[in-house]
Amino acid sequence: DAKTTQPTSMDCAEGRAANLPCNHSTISGNEYVYWYRQIHSQGPQYIIHGLKNNETNEMASLIITEDRKSSTLILPHATLRDTAVYYCIVGPTGRRALTFGSGTRLQVQP
Amino acid sequence: GAVVSQHPSWVICKSGTSVKIECRSLDFQATTMFWYRQFPKQSLMLMATSNEGSKATYEQGVEKDKFLINHASLTLSTLTVTSAHPEDSSFYICSASTLLAGGTDTQYFGPGTRLTVL
């Protein structure tokens, strides 16, 4: 599976958009980009995933560059409850085990 | 979204005893479930892949005789930590994949089980 690179930590003001970047320059054609988050002492929560098109759901938007070498997760209006570690994971399908990196620790500030 | 549950959510046991953790997919069937382990301030590490009706596949360095996995039905996988020791204290998390509307398999995770071995 392709490796991802994410910033170690980010801060965001409450009510503002949080933009979390992820580099995955070795992604292959059949690999999806998945985003999960983990709030302290809980299991990871699925957020969104995509292959090459931008995606949006009730939680977030996923913007994937045209060459698919990077992506950005956007939380449009961050709240304090969005404080968590966000993991960007690349893989061929959800049927395979996911390889977790270190993720980005997002701290939403009041 | 799909729901995965785990039981118990936390457990404290004495060294040398065995502990069973259950992972259930509540509203879907899962032929494959995964077990992860997370130590404090570290990321999740895959322990094993649990296959319904067959033997689990363990990651390198994970003792299959110590971490017994049984996937007896399409909605239940169990992880038994045998002869637990303090170094087995960790956060154990399971996951299962299901096909979302739109046709892509996605993994959903349980809430985790915190094991403390005294």
Side-chain angles (χ1 to χ4, degrees):
Chain A
D1 294 349
K3 184 178 178 179
T4 62
T5 304
Q6 299 178 251
T8 303
S9 64
M10 295 181 63
D11 286 347
C12 176
E14 188 178 19
R16 305 296 293 268
N19 298 289
L20 291 87
C22 180
N23 286 321
H24 32 79
S25 59
T26 61
I27 191 170
S28 60
N30 67 338
E31 291 184 313
Y32 289 80
V33 180
Y34 293 89
W35 282 85
Y36 287 81
R37 71 181 182 184
Q38 186 177 27
I39 297 170
H40 183 61
S41 294
Q42 297 182 25
Q45 178 188 20
Y46 166 78
I47 301 173
I48 199 167
H49 76 283
L51 183 62
K52 55 183 179 181
N53 297 322
N54 297 337
E55 302 288 343
T56 296
N57 62 19
E58 65 278 4
M59 289 184 67
S61 294
L62 173 61
I63 307 299
I64 303 174
T65 57
E66 192 169 346
D67 63 6
R68 303 210 319 124
K69 293 184 177 181
S70 66
S71 61
T72 301
L73 178 74
I74 301 172
L75 307 178
H77 306 286
T79 71
L80 298 178
R81 288 179 294 181
D82 292 322
T83 292
V85 178
Y86 287 76
Y87 296 99
C88 169
I89 302 169
V90 174
T93 173
R95 284 193 182 269
R96 294 256 310 267
L98 298 175
T99 301
F100 285 79
S102 301
T104 296
R105 183 171 298 277
L106 176 68
Q107 180 70 50
V108 181
Q109 305 284 357
Chain B
V3 179
V4 176
S5 70
Q6 282 184 243
H7 178 80
S9 55
W10 60 270
V11 57
I12 301 172
C13 69
K14 294 182 179 180
S15 186
T17 61
S18 295
V19 174
K20 180 185 283 189
I21 302 170
E22 292 186 350
C23 175
R24 294 181 185 272
S25 55
L26 296 186
D27 50 2
F28 65 98
Q29 294 181 331
T31 55
T32 303
M33 291 184 174
F34 304 95
W35 287 95
Y36 297 80
R37 179 169 54 180
Q38 186 176 33
F39 291 106
K41 297 187 178 181
Q42 295 185 22
S43 191
L44 280 77
M45 294 295 293
L46 178 68
M47 297 178 65
T49 300
S50 171
N51 302 298
E52 189 266 338
S54 64
K55 293 183 178 180
T57 304
Y58 291 82
E59 294 301 295
Q60 191 173 6
V62 178
E63 300 175 57
K64 62 180 182 180
D65 295 329
K66 181 171 182 62
F67 299 98
L68 301 179
I69 291 173
N70 184 277
H71 195 150
S73 77
L74 290 173
T75 59
L76 173 65
S77 176
T78 60
L79 169 68
T80 301
V81 183
T82 63
S83 187
H85 291 283
E87 57 266 30
D88 299 322
S89 297
S90 189
F91 193 48
Y92 292 86
I93 309 167
C94 71
S95 71
S97 66
T98 186
L99 200 63
L100 290 178
T104 308
D105 287 300
T106 301
Q107 274 193 45
Y108 291 89
F109 287 80
T113 297
R114 185 161 303 283
L115 170 63
T116 301
V117 184
L118 302 176

